Amino acid sequence: MADYDQRPRGGRGAGYNNRKRRYRDEEDYDRRPQRRRYEEPLPVKVRKQLLAIAESPLKPVEEEVGVIAKTVCDNYEDAELRNSFCELVVQLVVEQPFKTPFVAAVVLVVNTLNSELAADVLARAAQKANEGIRRGEWREVKLLMKFLGGLQGLLEGDGIFSVLQDLLTKAVDLQTENNEETIGPELVKIILFTIPYIMSSSATDVQEKANSLLENTDIIASEPHVLQSLVDPYPGNGTDEATAPNGVLSLLQKQLQNEATSGWELVCLPRPWKVLLEPDQADPLATAPKHTLPAIVIPEVVNAGPRALFPELYFSVYANQDIETVPSMANIASCLLRDALVDTINILDYNRNATSRFLIDIDCYFSPGTFVKRATPFDRLRDLVEGKSTWKPEDVAVDAVFSQLFQLPVPEHKLVYYHSLLTESCKLAPAAIAPSLGRAIRFLYRNVDSMDLELSYRLMDWFSHHLSNFGFTWKWTEWIDDVELPAINPKKAFIEGALDKEIRLSFAQRIKNTLPEPYQQLIAKEKEKDTPDFKYDNDDTPFAQEGKEIWGLLRKKAPEDQIQPIIDRIHAQAIEMNLPDPLVASTDAYMTSICYVGSKSLSHVLSSIERCKERLLAVGAQSPEARKQIIDSVMGYWKDQPGVGVNIVDKLLNYTILSPGSVIEWALAKEGTRLSLPYVYEMVSATIGKVTGRVRQVVCGKNAPGIPPEVKLGMEQTVERERKSMKDLFQVMEDALVGWATGTKDQTMQSGDGSTVDEAMIRQWGQRWLRVFRRKFAVEQAWFLETERVGVEEGVAGVEVIGGVGAGNGHGNGAVDGNGNAEVEMVE
Amino acid sequence: MPAAIRNTVDRLDKPSAYYQSRNKKRKYDRDTEERERTPEEPAEDPLKDAATLYVGNLSFYTTEEQIHELFAKCGEIKRLIMGLDRFNKTPCGFCFVEYYTHQDALDCMKYIGGTKLDERIIRTDLDPGFQEGRQYGRGKSGGQVRDEYREEYDEGRGGLGRAIQAERLKEEEEYGKGR
């Protein structure tokens, strides 16, 4: 499929490759038999075969392996074929990890026929591994190690073990120096995930080496990382459900030790090389030539790579079922399947259709019998013969997607990618995937109280988006009892939040129609109104007359000097009424009128803000109370469609009419119950996101190469200023949230009707918020230190910055000239 | 972005065949007309840094807010321009979404193009950037061209194609009265 854009062009005389040509030229009009033209050139044919290896459950993969190997070796003199084959082998291994064992098998067979070709592959794989190490692309290094592990049988001496040993030495060095660093564990992860692929390869006499390596990885792998609790998806939040998080490394270490004692069965891994052994024939693999592994060098200074590294936890939504539909954490298959899945998912984000296909076809890539038949209903698993696998391939696949969707602090790609993957899988195999998703949703909902707050927000966002792709159908009846819960209860907050998000993607009436009767009350009549009422239309509202007049003038686009007299009238009356801040009253009338004038759509409100921005900027600058009133008016006007309000607040931040601090204060200072509102969380995290994004931007700007020193000085000051205000902002949050979390704020705000249950609930919300924003702050600090460290190191060592590194995701690690010394000490 | 390396799986963040074929056609036209004047076109790709997307197959009833809600999942939206009927100035089923970064636009191609909004599968295409005038439908009756002669009934897009509707109406007027 991916072929058309690189097929040899201009070969029109040859007569192939014209299937997709749109424009005919003269030569096409001669009447030669058309069919012959579809004969593909050999490199294209082999490419297709290799790309599709193991994809079809109908073709025996061992035959495919044999055919490909033979074709390539028989045509060794075809340089184009040779070259494209070697190139594709290495590329396939890093782009489609499921196929690695099969590709390795092809190379093993190739080696029995033509050892030079195998040497060529080895050289390229080693070169790519060296590049990956230099750039800190540790996932790519791991994938190449797994591949080379599968080739251990054709390597001389220690083979890949010597590289693994070097990696371990480096990891131990790093960890001894500082046990908070994260590269060491990453290197150990590479080692541990390579071992199973060596042990399931054609290599013999490797058990001892593996066992001794495993003894030495234990010290790093079994120690829970200090940052582990930071990324725990289920901190418990004071409920009983808190479970100790399972670090992937320690889990895998244990699983491998178990395998070592049971003779390295590694049941789930395929052995496509095995069938080569025909009964009465000498093993060709054993007698084939052996190769020395080309040097793979770990440099003195290792690069953390483009993504921030955090300890990885094993997350599963299917862990506690009465029948095992995914491998238990005691079984090594849990980690091996997950690792291959997660890599596939994160590498292939550029084609969610292909990725979904992989997820659904997962059973093609592991040994037969690993899973039950696809789409076997959960209830049918009970009837299966004792001793047969009950692992549902779709559960294993879906579980891996959720592990990314709920990855803390952030997954590799935007969350919506993982949404789209679940949508696509569901479209591709609804009978298989939909019931699995149903069970996942039930598990997640059941535990929503003990989940990290950020994750429960992600859950809500995914859930509503997913339903919007499937006609908004969900068995709401299951949760009917929870409709009666108070708004502050996490489950109820989830339901309300999810419905609000559904409405935003659709409209109130439509969503109402999908809901059972008890839920109907949750969607108030007002939500169905396109234009919310204007409160000044009601004459009982204070300043009703003035409000209406301002609206009238704004609608006519009257100049500001006509509005000022009315504002002055409000001020005069407010002073008469002894209101504490007259500006608050006039701001309310002004901002509410802007909302009403612009109620038709987002662009309408934007253009009315644009027209009124001078006054709004002036008001905001005058008093913090007035600034908060702007938010109050917006959210008050849009109280039934808070999503619109949140959006407007976001734009007001862009205009700097609002400051981030005023949003935080509006959200957190006054009412504890606001903490349970999903849209308040949305507003605050978007605001924080803007601030942290800005800091990252100025830091990267400062570190960009080639900036003259005098300019740089100014940029450094900007960085300092922005970092300071970010820190202050987090501090404001910290103070407010600690107040809620410990209950000290409750007392001061107590209006007398707060029951103790509510109080306890507010404390819990406070703790949940605190956890999220402390983490966000920690992540930003870590990012800054790492960015500066890399910059300084590269500056001191004079290492040339490799083009393109880190540029892909916008946070380039540019070189810094060696005098950014302040931060170096903080790193040590 | 290293463009030279072809992936083992197709990428979804490439411009559509529609965009490419349009370009090709244009090139052909130019070839015949101005061959002498511009023998070598600079090969600058207008989509190299594109942060704008054309979004198609929307329902006429889909609102800015709905579009915003979905598309903001790929990054902050800088500008959203609704496609309007040239004569009525009502939404006619397409829009332009502009992000702040090229990467957000690419991600949108990968993650949102081909999914549903307001219960319709929507189409996204990278776009060199909005220009005044492009917000209007180019069909004869003011909407998009595809809604002129569409033979399938599409409730979200005004029923049958407008030209067909007009034809039916005419037929009815001419023959219906006599029946």
Side-chain angles (χ1 to χ4, degrees):
Chain A
M1 268 168 77
D3 280 347
Y4 60 87
D5 50 359
Q6 219 195 24
R7 268 186 233 151
R9 302 252 161 131
R12 54 171 77 126
Y16 52 78
N17 173 37
N18 64 352
R19 204 151 39 117
K20 292 217 166 151
R21 239 159 61 194
R22 298 272 155 80
Y23 303 99
R24 299 176 147 243
D25 28 45
E26 308 80 60
E27 284 134 295
D28 291 338
Y29 286 96
D30 58 5
R31 299 270 181 256
R32 276 181 298 170
Q34 296 284 313
R35 203 173 289 164
R36 308 221 88 204
R37 300 179 153 216
Y38 292 116
E39 188 71 41
E40 291 165 316
L42 210 47
V44 174
K45 194 172 152 198
V46 171
R47 180 182 167 88
K48 279 189 182 161
Q49 286 174 335
L50 189 57
L51 277 176
I53 197 165
E55 274 180 5
S56 163
L58 302 171
K59 274 190 241 166
V61 67
E62 295 78 9
E63 260 171 45
E64 290 184 82
V65 168
V67 167
I68 296 169
K70 194 159 180 311
T71 318
V72 186
C73 294
D74 284 353
N75 297 282
Y76 184 69
E77 69 290 347
D78 182 341
E80 194 193 338
L81 172 64
R82 210 164 60 215
N83 194 39
S84 77
F85 170 78
C86 292
E87 206 169 278
L88 186 60
V89 162
V90 179
Q91 199 188 359
L92 204 48
V93 163
V94 296
E95 288 189 4
Q96 303 187 26
F98 276 172
K99 294 178 181 166
T100 300
F102 308 98
V103 177
V106 173
V107 179
L108 288 172
V109 180
V110 161
N111 190 44
T112 65
L113 304 168
N114 186 328
S115 72
E116 266 177 60
L117 192 55
D120 194 353
V121 170
L122 278 178
R124 288 176 196 239
Q127 193 206 344
K128 202 166 172 96
N130 279 319
E131 281 166 22
I133 291 168
R134 210 179 60 224
R135 299 202 316 263
E137 288 283 358
W138 299 114
R139 175 173 62 208
E140 200 163 299
V141 175
K142 179 184 72 183
L143 294 169
L144 288 159
M145 289 297 145
K146 280 165 68 173
F147 172 62
L148 290 169
L151 298 181
Q152 174 72 13
L154 60 74
L155 294 175
E156 243 163 31
D158 282 348
I160 196 70
F161 279 106
S162 62
V163 185
L164 298 186
Q165 188 53 54
D166 289 350
L167 285 170
L168 180 59
T169 310
K170 179 86 268 169
V172 171
D173 284 354
L174 289 167
Q175 282 283 297
T176 322
E177 212 174 292
N178 167 17
N179 71 343
E180 281 193 34
E181 65 84 40
T182 47
I183 304 179
E186 199 64 19
L187 302 184
V188 172
K189 184 174 142 193
I190 296 174
I191 300 168
L192 296 185
F193 275 114
T194 304
I195 292 174
Y197 290 84
I198 304 174
M199 304 316 286
S200 63
S201 78
S202 60
T204 47
D205 300 333
V206 281
Q207 298 216 359
E208 208 174 293
K209 288 178 192 139
N211 294 354
S212 87
L213 190 57
L214 209 48
E215 266 170 40
N216 296 324
T217 52
D218 191 61
I219 183 159
I220 297 177
S222 295
E223 183 66 28
H225 198 275
V226 282
L227 297 177
Q228 193 161 291
S229 65
L230 197 69
V231 293
D232 183 4
Y234 282 107
N237 306 322
T239 59
D240 307 332
E241 274 102 303
T243 44
N246 292 291
V248 167
L249 273 193
S250 62
L251 209 53
L252 186 57
Q253 173 75 23
K254 243 179 275 155
Q255 294 164 348
L256 285 167
Q257 281 162 346
N258 284 342
E259 287 294 316
T261 56
S262 61
W264 297 101
E265 275 186 294
L266 295 163
V267 192
C268 70
L269 294 183
R271 272 100 167 150
W273 49 270
K274 249 189 180 158
V275 179
L276 289 165
L277 315 173
E278 283 171 28
D280 41 318
Q281 195 191 346
D283 178 2
L285 293 184
T287 53
K290 302 240 175 188
H291 302 262
T292 313
L293 180 68
I296 294 176
V297 187
I298 323 294
E300 194 47 44
V301 179
V302 284
N303 188 343
R307 284 175 297 277
L309 301 172
F310 282 91
E312 217 176 308
L313 300 178
Y314 190 84
F315 177 92
S316 175
V317 294
Y318 301 114
N320 303 310
Q321 299 178 115
D322 51 345
I323 306 173
E324 227 176 64
T325 65
V326 296
S328 81
M329 277 181 255
N331 194 317
I332 192 159
S334 61
C335 283
L336 295 180
L337 293 170
R338 176 63 60 83
D339 176 57
L341 275 162
V342 166
D343 284 350
T344 303
I345 290 169
N346 284 335
I347 291 167
L348 295 178
D349 82 292
Y350 51 81
N351 190 331
R352 60 176 199 265
N353 305 315
T355 314
S356 313
R357 190 77 261 167
F358 272 120
L359 297 185
I360 285 161
D361 293 345
I362 182 177
D363 51 359
C364 293
Y365 304 99
F366 291 88
S367 58
T370 303
F371 301 100
V372 296
K373 221 170 129 265
R374 292 181 198 176
T376 305
F378 182 74
D379 294 330
R380 203 73 62 72
L381 295 176
R382 258 177 258 277
D383 312 334
L384 287 174
V385 189
E386 188 74 26
K388 273 192 118 183
S389 168
T390 55
W391 300 342
K392 280 168 65 58
E394 42 283 324
D395 276 22
V396 172
V398 163
D399 215 10
V401 184
F402 279 119
S403 80
Q404 297 307 290
L405 189 55
F406 297 124
Q407 180 74 257
L408 286 175
V410 281
E412 185 173 335
H413 298 290
K414 288 175 180 150
L415 293 164
V416 63
Y417 167 53
Y418 306 101
H419 298 187
S420 75
L421 208 46
L422 290 170
T423 309
E424 226 51 61
S425 306
C426 220
K427 281 202 303 212
L428 223 48
I433 301 291
S436 293
L437 286 183
R439 271 180 297 114
I441 292 166
R442 280 173 203 116
F443 168 85
L444 291 163
Y445 178 77
R446 214 166 38 239
N447 298 296
V448 83
D449 325 40
S450 54
M451 199 178 210
D452 183 274
L453 178 63
E454 181 173 355
L455 298 188
S456 62
Y457 183 79
R458 284 190 207 170
L459 171 63
M460 183 187 303
D461 194 47
W462 165 71
F463 179 68
S464 52
H465 185 203
H466 187 79
L467 294 191
S468 81
N469 272 280
F470 295 94
F472 296 103
T473 44
W474 171 248
K475 279 193 219 146
W476 288 102
T477 41
E478 289 181 17
W479 301 335
I480 269 183
D481 292 345
D482 296 342
V483 175
E484 295 306 319
L485 291 171
I488 199 169
N489 180 289
K491 284 197 168 68
K492 179 69 174 295
F494 173 83
I495 293 178
E496 297 225 50
L499 291 178
D500 178 52
K501 289 231 160 203
E502 282 192 55
I503 292 173
R504 291 196 216 171
L505 288 166
S506 183
F507 50 99
Q509 189 58 51
R510 167 79 179 101
I511 300 307
K512 213 169 185 174
N513 286 338
T514 66
L515 296 173
E517 171 51 37
Y519 288 84
Q520 303 274 326
Q521 45 155 332
L522 299 181
I523 298 179
K525 262 265 160 298
E526 289 75 31
K527 280 187 191 287
E528 293 173 39
K529 280 190 187 161
D530 286 336
T531 306
D533 293 336
F534 183 52
K535 66 178 177 184
Y536 296 102
D537 275 343
N538 180 349
D539 286 329
D540 297 337
T541 312
F543 312 108
Q545 184 54 37
E546 288 75 15
K548 269 179 281 196
E549 282 178 43
I550 292 175
W551 169 72
L553 289 168
L554 286 179
R555 203 178 52 150
K556 282 194 310 206
K557 298 177 185 158
E560 278 293 310
D561 54 10
Q562 289 186 28
I563 294 174
Q564 188 58 45
I566 306 166
I567 303 267
D568 291 340
R569 253 161 60 203
I570 297 182
H571 287 174
Q573 287 178 51
I575 290 165
E576 236 166 74
M577 290 155 78
N578 276 328
L579 291 182
D581 192 345
L583 193 58
V584 168
S586 64
T587 303
D588 189 18
Y590 192 64
M591 193 64 223
T592 306
S593 300
I594 292 174
C595 287
Y596 188 40
V597 170
S599 63
K600 206 171 164 209
S601 76
L602 200 59
S603 20
H604 284 83
V605 80
L606 282 182
S607 57
S608 43
I609 291 171
E610 181 74 45
R611 279 198 302 275
C612 301
K613 71 170 182 243
E614 293 311 322
R615 179 181 295 278
L616 288 173
L617 279 165
V619 163
Q622 273 178 59
S623 97
E625 285 310 309
R627 219 154 40 216
K628 262 191 289 171
Q629 181 56 49
I630 294 178
I631 308 177
D632 254 333
S633 301
V634 172
M635 296 312 288
Y637 181 74
W638 288 107
K639 65 181 187 312
D640 293 304
Q641 295 176 55
V644 178
V646 169
N647 233 328
I648 296 175
V649 168
D650 191 75
K651 302 295 179 205
L652 291 171
L653 275 167
N654 289 352
Y655 277 112
T656 65
I657 289 167
L658 294 175
S659 64
S662 56
V663 176
I664 303 299
E665 211 165 299
W666 179 86
L668 303 181
K670 222 163 60 183
E671 293 163 39
T673 48
R674 275 191 188 156
L675 300 185
S676 71
L677 297 171
Y679 66 82
V680 174
Y681 176 81
E682 179 185 0
M683 188 194 285
V684 172
S685 55
T687 306
I688 292 289
K690 264 189 214 295
V691 175
T692 56
R694 161 90 184 138
V695 171
R696 287 193 184 211
Q697 205 184 355
V698 295
V699 171
C700 290
K702 170 186 74 92
N703 287 354
I707 292 175
E710 63 279 9
V711 179
K712 191 159 178 118
L713 191 68
M715 292 174 107
E716 270 163 9
Q717 285 163 353
T718 313
V719 167
E720 274 320 297
R721 202 175 52 241
E722 296 286 339
R723 288 195 67 219
K724 166 96 171 52
S725 58
M726 174 178 88
K727 203 170 160 219
D728 292 346
L729 192 64
F730 273 107
Q731 191 58 49
V732 170
M733 290 196 78
E734 173 83 18
D735 294 344
L737 289 170
V738 164
W740 295 117
T742 56
T744 46
K745 209 139 190 166
D746 265 3
Q747 260 100 58
T748 56
M749 299 305 299
Q750 207 49 273
S751 52
D753 62 337
S755 67
T756 48
V757 181
D758 273 8
E759 262 173 56
M761 212 62 114
I762 289 176
R763 283 184 197 208
Q764 204 193 93
W765 281 106
Q767 282 155 12
R768 296 179 80 188
W769 275 72
L770 209 46
R771 228 187 108 72
V772 171
F773 290 95
R774 279 179 179 167
R775 176 175 60 238
K776 283 188 195 280
F777 186 54
V779 167
E780 291 313 309
Q781 294 292 74
W783 177 85
F784 179 74
L785 291 181
E786 179 61 25
T787 309
E788 294 300 284
R789 188 184 65 84
V790 171
V792 171
E793 252 164 25
E794 285 180 356
V796 169
V799 176
E800 203 187 318
V801 182
I802 306 148
V805 173
N809 51 11
H811 337 121
N813 306 328
V816 169
D817 40 6
N819 44 13
N821 41 30
E823 305 298 337
V824 182
E825 283 153 36
M826 296 172 72
V827 185
E828 302 310 333
Chain B
M1 213 166 102
I5 304 163
R6 168 188 41 158
N7 294 103
T8 58
V9 167
D10 274 339
R11 300 190 65 98
L12 299 182
D13 52 5
K14 289 197 290 205
S16 69
Y18 170 77
Y19 180 85
Q20 281 169 334
S21 72
R22 252 183 54 203
N23 259 24
K24 211 175 269 174
K25 250 191 226 157
R26 249 188 249 149
K27 223 182 208 160
Y28 275 136
D29 294 346
R30 210 170 0 209
D31 253 18
T32 49
E33 286 164 22
E34 316 176 23
R35 191 172 301 185
E36 315 82 31
R37 280 215 333 242
T38 50
E40 248 177 63
E41 290 278 317
E44 181 70 4
D45 179 4
L47 298 179
K48 192 166 65 75
D49 302 311
T52 304
L53 295 165
Y54 164 88
V55 182
N57 198 35
L58 295 170
S59 152
F60 291 176
Y61 306 103
T62 297
T63 63
E64 269 182 58
E65 282 69 19
Q66 287 169 300
I67 296 166
H68 203 282
E69 179 70 21
L70 180 65
F71 282 80
K73 292 185 197 295
C74 271
E76 191 175 338
I77 293 169
K78 190 175 177 186
R79 197 158 58 138
L80 175 58
I81 295 143
M82 294 296 282
L84 301 175
D85 184 293
R86 201 164 67 244
F87 304 122
N88 309 331
K89 307 287 183 278
T90 54
C92 71
F94 74 100
C95 74
F96 294 96
V97 173
E98 188 182 343
Y99 289 101
Y100 282 94
T101 69
H102 178 53
Q103 188 58 47
D104 287 347
L106 291 179
D107 286 346
C108 190
M109 290 289 289
K110 293 185 284 185
Y111 312 148
I112 289 184
T115 67
K116 278 188 181 175
L117 174 59
D118 214 0
E119 306 184 57
R120 300 174 65 91
I121 301 268
I122 54 169
R123 193 176 85 88
T124 57
D125 206 352
L126 286 173
D127 191 278
F130 173 76
Q131 280 164 331
E132 182 53 36
R134 288 186 66 201
Q135 70 268 49
Y136 299 118
R138 290 178 292 131
K140 202 172 153 203
S141 60
Q144 287 199 281
V145 179
R146 57 169 280 208
D147 290 314
E148 288 294 326
Y149 298 101
R150 185 166 25 74
E151 287 178 33
E152 318 85 71
Y153 188 84
D154 186 342
E155 208 187 334
R157 294 182 70 102
L160 290 172
R162 282 189 189 164
I164 294 175
Q165 282 186 44
E167 210 172 288
R168 295 242 171 120
L169 204 69
K170 210 172 118 201
E171 271 173 30
E172 244 164 65
E173 273 170 13
E174 283 173 12
Y175 304 106
K177 283 176 207 153
R179 221 179 286 149

